[in-house]
Amino acid sequence: MSDLFWVGAAAEAAGEAVGGLTAGGTSGEALRDRNDRLERRLDKLSLVCQALWGLVRDKTGLTESDLAGRVMELDLSDGKLDGRRAPGLACEACGRVSSRRHSRCLYCESPRKGGSAFDAV
């Protein structure tokens, strides 16, 4: 029995599947399916963003430089230039920071006011 433990532990440490399961307990096939779904979603979001930018640029006269400046502004909103938005949002009621994905504060349960349509993505 102890040999089975060590073989399983060694395989997990190497990231290999043990009995159809990876170290995290999810089959490799399930992970590939999830990855494929995420890639399709990313492709669709990218396509929509490109279409929206094309419409905005054509209707307003904004430039690629304007877009790049806004992207940098949003990126730096958390003080880090890392290609990501700030992960959290401060609650107006209690001031604590929690995920933008929740419609209510995780600490005081106050509803989020206003916000962006992108906070739910």
Side-chain angles (χ1 to χ4, degrees):
M1 181 71 167
S2 65
D3 287 341
L4 180 60
F5 170 77
W6 288 111
V7 168
E12 286 180 359
E16 298 172 2
V18 178
L21 299 178
T22 61
T26 306
S27 74
E29 185 176 331
L31 290 174
R32 280 189 295 278
D33 288 346
R34 182 170 188 257
N35 187 54
D36 289 345
R37 285 191 311 272
L38 288 172
E39 285 183 359
R40 283 191 302 273
R41 183 174 181 222
L42 180 61
D43 287 344
K44 287 178 184 178
L45 287 171
S46 179
L47 184 62
V48 169
C49 286
Q50 289 176 11
L52 286 171
W53 168 241
L55 288 169
V56 168
R57 182 191 59 224
D58 295 347
K59 299 288 183 183
T60 66
L62 290 171
T63 66
E64 294 287 332
S65 180
D66 295 325
L67 178 62
R70 180 56 59 97
V71 168
M72 183 174 287
E73 179 185 322
L74 288 171
D75 187 354
L76 286 170
S77 67
D78 63 353
K80 293 183 259 179
L81 186 61
D82 57 3
R84 302 176 68 184
R85 275 186 3 167
L89 189 64
C91 173
E92 292 180 14
C94 71
R96 295 178 81 179
V97 177
S98 61
S99 172
R100 296 171 177 273
R101 294 184 180 163
H102 300 287
S103 61
R104 297 176 110 32
C105 175
L106 295 176
Y107 301 99
C108 72
E109 298 186 7
S110 294
R112 299 257 193 221
K113 295 180 182 165
S116 165
F118 294 98
D119 289 342
V121 175

